């Protein structure tokens, strides 16, 4: 039997934010052009998913995000043959709310603008979504899905790594 490379999915987080019947999305530059996404990004070394979603939402919306519940953990796979990519994403999606834009904060590089869209507008724009998870997470939010924040546990070793002999 030949050895194969270990499977290493890309771990991401997403914030699903609703206010008065509208969802906060970002319009961002991607290799596929301008796309709509939930405020989202990659988990960084030493960071819990909860810490990551607060950071990413702030960077992409210039608003402080307060998580209220875990929506779920989602997986999706993308093939980009022209770039030699076969990537599986594991997304931790959280529902919560944001305040007003923070004075002096700018949007992260690549984020063109934020938009508040109704559920119908989100559904109608699915061809512009960065991933099918954008709509799936919003549909789960609209259905009232909410798991306790402590459903995802982050061990203290994230900040202070264990030393193995």
């Amino acid at each position: 039997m030949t050895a194969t490379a270990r499977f290493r999915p890309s771990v991401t987080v997403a914030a699903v934010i609703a206010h008065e019947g509208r969802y906060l999305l970002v319009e961002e530059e991607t290799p596929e052009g301008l796309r709509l996404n939930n405020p989202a990004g990659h988990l960084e070394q030493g960071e819990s998913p909860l810490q990551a979603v607060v950071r990413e939402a702030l960077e992409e919306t210039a608003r402080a995000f307060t998580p209220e519940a875990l929506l779920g953990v989602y997986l999706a796979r993308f093939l980009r043959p022209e770039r030699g990519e076969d990537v599986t994403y594991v997304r931790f999606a959280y529902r919560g709310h944001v305040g007003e834009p923070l004075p002096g904060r700018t949007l992260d590089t690549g984020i063109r603008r934020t938009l508040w869209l109704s559920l119908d507008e989100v559904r109608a724009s699915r061809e512009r979504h960065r991933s099918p998870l954008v709509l799936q997470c919003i549909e789960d939010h609209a259905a009232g899905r909410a798991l306790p924040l402590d459903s995802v546990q982050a061990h203290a070793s994230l900040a202070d790594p264990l030393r193995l002999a």
Side-chain angles (χ1 to χ4, degrees):
M1 181 178 243
T2 58
T4 59
R6 178 179 266 185
F7 174 61
R8 298 187 191 277
S10 185
V11 180
T12 64
V13 295
V16 179
I17 302 156
H19 181 69
E20 296 181 354
R22 296 191 167 279
Y23 288 89
L24 181 60
L25 297 178
V26 297
E27 185 178 57
E28 62 183 333
E29 298 169 8
T30 75
E32 292 76 37
L34 281 179
R35 296 285 187 237
L36 297 174
N37 200 2
N38 312 104
H42 292 269
L43 184 69
E44 293 182 358
Q45 182 78 16
E47 192 174 50
S48 73
L50 194 60
Q51 291 167 327
V53 75
V54 169
R55 176 186 52 77
E56 284 290 349
L58 177 62
E59 290 173 356
E60 294 197 355
T61 69
R63 298 167 182 258
F65 175 64
T66 304
E68 297 167 343
L70 176 71
L71 269 176
V73 181
Y74 303 80
L75 285 90
R77 184 175 176 192
F78 295 87
L79 297 174
R80 293 182 182 99
E82 67 284 353
R83 294 184 3 216
E85 291 181 350
D86 180 352
V87 182
T88 297
Y89 291 93
V90 177
R91 173 187 265 209
F92 291 83
Y94 292 87
R95 61 185 296 149
H97 64 275
V98 291
E100 292 299 315
L102 298 172
R105 287 277 327 183
T106 58
L107 301 178
D108 205 6
T109 303
I111 303 297
R112 288 278 183 92
R113 64 185 175 139
T114 61
L115 306 113
W116 289 96
L117 301 178
S118 69
L119 181 54
D120 287 340
E121 290 170 326
V122 173
R123 288 174 177 149
S125 65
R126 71 177 54 151
E127 74 282 348
R128 293 192 59 219
H129 294 178
R130 180 132 193 211
S131 127
L133 298 181
V134 173
L135 181 57
Q136 185 176 356
C137 291
I138 289 174
E139 293 282 8
D140 286 350
H141 181 283
R145 183 175 181 137
L147 302 166
L149 286 174
D150 64 3
S151 295
V152 177
Q153 294 292 315
H155 190 267
S157 61
L158 286 175
D160 185 17
L162 302 171
R163 303 207 188 315
L164 302 176

